[in-house]
Amino acid sequence: MTYHHRFAQDRAGTSARSAFKRALKLERSYAQRLRGIARHIGDIVKGFAWETLEEIAASSEPAQRLLRRYADTLDPWANAVAQRMVAEVAASDRVSWRKLSSDMGRQLHREIDTAPTGEAMRASMQRQVGLIKSLPLDAAERVHKLTQEGITQGRRAAEIADEIMASGDVARSRAMLIARTEVSRTATELTKARAEHIGSTHFIWRTAGDSDVRSTHKVLNGKTFRWDQPPECDPGHHALPGGIWNCRCYPEVVVPDLD
């Protein structure tokens, strides 16, 4: 490995860490937008009466219809929010790569600017729209399930009502999970697209380095893997860093020697 290549790899590590910190800020911004949906889900559910079994039976179907209708109306907003998130992640990714390429010459700079990231961006946007709309749809399904279980299993009305009324909080938790997972996943997908375009075949797994890192991810830290052969990071699940639920790990590109 030449001195120039070692220097480039050091810069790649620094660039990856900086991108990870920017992703955390974008995650908070995305989560804030999605929490608005959760609040509205809570408002919809709380607009119905759930105190008695009769009220639960009467309110269940109209509440479900209203939640599903809400999901249908989300299309324009969901597309705009998804586009904004992906664009912000892409901009952050470009900043990281341009800092790296400035130390590696005009050839790499040109290659990075022409990287085919469009497909990864489109795939992420479509995935976000589906996930955003799933929040009220899942809430509708939850209301249906709780109602059916309450009637068939003879549960107390107050117990069922409490769980149905918590639908907004459940949606909020899932919104946070979506934001935490999808910003990291999108960032990794864009990094992978640019890395493979310049000839990189491998990455180094890096963790956030704190007490919240999963034990299964700690053992991967610092190890090198192929982009097209992600490791088993959770039992039965193979994924790139940041590509699985609640994962805050990130890839450090193994820079090819362009000398």
Side-chain angles (χ1 to χ4, degrees), residues 87 89-99 112-113 121 194:
V89 173
S92 174
D93 188 60
R94 280 193 297 272
V95 168
S96 298
W97 280 95
R98 282 175 178 168
K99 285 181 179 178
I112 289 169
D113 277 346
M121 292 176 70
R194 284 198 170 93

Side-chain angles (χ1 to χ4, degrees), residues 59-252:
S59 297
S60 179
E61 282 297 326
Q64 290 174 57
R65 285 197 299 270
L66 195 54
L67 287 165
R68 293 190 183 104
R69 196 177 307 138
Y70 176 43
D72 289 338
T73 65
L74 277 175
D75 265 314
W77 186 87
N79 275 282
V81 168
Q83 185 175 18
R84 180 174 174 180
M85 186 276 274
V86 173
E88 288 173 342
V89 173
S92 174
D93 188 60
R94 280 193 297 272
V95 168
S96 298
W97 280 95
R98 282 175 178 168
K99 285 181 179 178
L100 174 61
S101 67
S102 66
D103 297 308
M104 298 181 64
R106 282 179 294 180
Q107 177 189 351
L108 183 60
H109 191 86
R110 190 163 51 247
E111 289 293 314
I112 289 169
D113 277 346
T114 59
T117 57
E119 183 177 347
M121 292 176 70
R122 283 190 295 273
S124 179
M125 284 180 58
Q126 290 174 2
R127 191 170 64 244
Q128 304 319 306
V129 172
L131 288 168
I132 289 170
K133 293 181 67 176
S134 75
L135 290 169
L137 292 175
D138 285 354
E141 182 59 31
R142 185 172 181 276
V143 169
H144 172 73
K145 183 179 178 182
L146 288 170
T147 302
Q148 291 300 109
E149 287 179 353
I151 293 172
T152 59
Q153 297 174 13
R155 296 174 62 194
R156 293 172 54 247
E159 186 180 327
I160 305 167
D162 285 344
E163 291 191 41
I164 290 176
M165 292 286 278
S167 294
D169 293 332
V170 172
R172 185 181 187 279
S173 295
R174 185 153 181 272
M176 298 296 289
L177 174 62
I178 290 171
R180 189 177 302 119
T181 302
E182 289 300 314
V183 169
S184 296
R185 182 177 176 183
T186 299
T188 293
E189 289 170 349
L190 291 174
T191 295
K192 177 178 180 286
R194 284 198 170 93
E196 291 184 329
H197 185 63
I198 66 167
S200 171
T201 57
H202 291 73
F203 67 91
I204 302 169
W205 189 292
R206 299 296 186 192
T207 71
D210 57 31
S211 59
D212 291 332
V213 176
R214 293 176 241 191
S215 58
T216 51
H217 293 200
K218 284 181 180 178
V219 299
L220 301 176
N221 188 46
K223 293 182 179 179
T224 302
F225 304 95
R226 288 185 59 89
W227 287 108
D228 57 0
Q229 294 178 8
E232 185 177 19
C233 54
D234 276 53
H237 296 279
H238 291 254
L240 295 172
I244 198 169
W245 57 87
N246 275 331
C247 179
R248 297 170 305 123
C249 301
Y250 58 96
E252 177 186 327

